[in-house]
Structures are given as C-alpha cells and as structure tokens.
Amino acid sequence: MHKIAFGLLALALTLQSCSEDDMACSYETSEETVACIPYPENKAMAGFTVTTAYQAVENGTAWVGAINDTRFNSQAPLGDDWATTTSTTQVVKQRPANWKSSEIGQVFGIAIDGDENVYLASSDVYAYDNMGIASNSGQQSQIYRCVAPGFVAVPFITFTAGGDPGNDIGNIAYDKVNDQIFATHLENGFISRITGLNTAAGTEVESYDPWSADTSGAGTIVSQAEQVWGVGVNYEGSNVKVYFPRITPTERSIYSTTLVNGSFDNTPAVLEVSNIPGNQFKITDISFSSDGNQMLIAERGNPHQAKVMSYSRSGTTWSFNLEYEVGGFTGENSAGGVDFAYREQEDNLNAGCDDIFWASGNYLGSGVLGAGRRIYGIEGISYSGNIQEDFTDPTSNVFTDILIDNDDDTSFFEKYAQGDVETFDADNCFDLCAFSN
C-alpha cells in the first residue's frame, strides 16, 4: 500500500528532509517522527494513456478500451492520426483480451493506482446522451480491476444500491495519499469510498451524500440537482480534498469535501468554483496538476457544444484560466474525459510535467487528413492553450495538436461513442511529501 498518514493533526509538523533520491523522507513532530514515503514513480507505464469508448454489445470483437503508448509524444505527428500514421513513431495500442462490450459491457470512468492497476467503471453515460444507444442495464454495476502486464478486467467491486444498475457509476478517481478510490453514483447521488486496492476484492467502507436524499425511486437516475458525475482528488497543504460538480438549471459549480484521516467527515460540501461557463448538464471528469494548483474540467453532452476548461488556484481561491479548442467545427467537441500528461523531450518523460493534457473528443479536426475525414478519440493539447480550427492556418489546433483515433478508422463518424481518458503518472512529477507543507 502506498500512502502517507496525515493523522497527527494535533501535532505541529515540520518538514525535515525530502528529496527525490531518498528512499523515504520524514517529518519531525513534537512527539515522534512519522515516515513519509514518496509516491511510487510508475516507471514501467509512465506516460501511457488509457481510453474507453462505447461499442455495440452485439459486436463481440469491438473493444471498449485501449492502452496507448503515448510516452514519446515529442515524436508524434501533429495534425495527423498518431494511431494510423505510416511514420515509424506510430503509437502502439494494447487492447487487453476481455476489454470488449460482450464481456464487460460499457465502461466509461478510468482510475490508475500506485501499483499500476487500471480500474474501469460500468456506466450508462452513453445511453444518457439520447442518441438511441442501448442501456448498459444488463451488466452489473461494478468496477473492474486490471493488473499488469495483461490488464485483463476482473470484477473488483459490485454495488447494490437497488434499481437499475445501468444508472450507476458516473466516474471514479484514485486517492494517492490514502490508496483508495472514489466512485460517484447516478442511482442515488452518493460518492463511495473504496479500499482494499491491494486485494482481489474492494470494499465500500462508507459513502457521502453531498446534497439531499434521493427521492427519484429505485431504477431511476437521481434528479438533476442530485447528480454527481465527475470526481477528482486534490492535495492542498496537508488536506486531501474530493472535488465534484453540481449542475442545475440555475447553478454550474464545483464543490469539495475535505477528508479526515482518509475518511469522509460528512460536513456540508464547500463551494470551490461557481458560474462555470457552458450549457451542458454533465461535467464528467475533473483532473488536477501534479502541484495541485491547476484544475481541468470536461463537459459531456451535445458533441459540438461541450467544453474543456482550466482553473488556477492561489491560496484557497480558484480562478478561471482558459477554455481549450477540442476538435474541429465549433472547437467544443469534448466527450467528457480529461487528464494531465507530460511533454517528453529526448526520451525524458518528465521534461514537462503537466505541460500537455489529453482530452477525449468527437470530430477532432485533422489538417493532414483533410475536411472529409475526422478523428474520434483523444487530443493532446498544450496546457498553455491552442487556437480554434482553421484549415488555412498552420497554427490552429488541427495542425498543432496530437490526435489519436480510438478505433483506428477515420472514415466513420462515431459521435457520442468516445469515453474517458487517464494517463499513468510520470516519474518525479508528483512529490507526495510536499503536500504536508
């Protein structure tokens, strides 16, 4: 288990030593020394990126996910499909044996733990986009655990909240400090805390209801005001905070709750960001930079009206930073997945921690392929920003960004079918010990 205990809250903690080369670092207290073990570097898979996507169950050979080797992104062809380019640097995809709709159903949310295990969450998110996509209710409401090197998906935890299991998991997020996962539930509006990640079966140790009790009835998605889709974990000083959105007809906000010794304290949710731009009713993913000071959020809904935005933190205040261009046409083609990544230079995966990020999207414009063909998958975007599609402007995102098609076929328009994205943490970008300052 990879964690650091911040349990001695009554004691004054003073940072004694913490370097990347040390086996461990420690904190000096008035009573005893508490070991601080740096977060594992995930050396083997650092920089790889996991994606999910909808595939019809009747197509037994259709893959609902892939692991993309995106480590050496400085060599990626810009404005072309990195997955099918004839370049010698073509991205390699691993498609684990049972990541198929006929075997694990539809999955959206992704989390990756400190031991390089991948977690995939069942979801009806594709059906809720109102495009005639079938419900996932035939599958159990569960999270799968996928262990390297084969990453075969094995049921890890099944939820029994009652009603239609297809209404369940919105997304999942990993807590590096406490080695646990959080999952949002669409059936009842809860957020679950799940432990036992180093075992074959996870345990839901508690849940948190940020709003009010579900009155929608069994088998019905919780009301709009109670829905919690995306979830993210951030580390601010000695605090571990779980973030989640709330969207109603009159509110577009991000809230948080601060953990106490890794557990929910069941106090009212705290407003972090209000008046978020956009008009979609689902924010399905929240991602934080390695230093905890930058936040990405991704909408999902209308494939040409969904935004990806960033916020910056100073002290306890988050301020709007940028809106990014995702794909062609409107540039608002977010599919609801987003995660910070790393700008590799000369085989150094950590040359630019959080300098780029991956966003899942529809209709990703390709300046190289031309207007008649489009990429549906993920887009690698500079955190500093990009410029809206213009096929005559070589500085626009269709020429400057990294593009990967999910199913390696750019002749089809797979609207609404793109899912989440998550990147394995890169070496030395995340310093766990620094978060107790």
Side-chain angles (χ1 to χ4, degrees), residues 26-46:
S26 62
Y27 298 97
E28 185 179 281
T29 75
S30 58
E31 295 184 8
E32 60 180 298
T33 297
V34 181
C36 169
I37 303 174
Y39 184 67
E41 295 180 344
N42 277 348
K43 291 182 178 179
M45 299 295 294

Side-chain angles (χ1 to χ4, degrees), residues 17 35 60-61 130 186 213 240 289 318 326 372 402 413:
S17 65
T61 61
N130 298 316
L186 305 176
V240 180
S289 60
W318 290 97
V326 180
I402 305 171
F413 296 85

Side-chain angles (χ1 to χ4, degrees), residues 47-67:
F48 281 76
T49 298
V50 184
T51 58
T52 53
Y54 169 85
Q55 296 291 350
V57 174
E58 58 268 19
N59 185 351
T61 61
W63 304 94
V64 295
I67 302 173

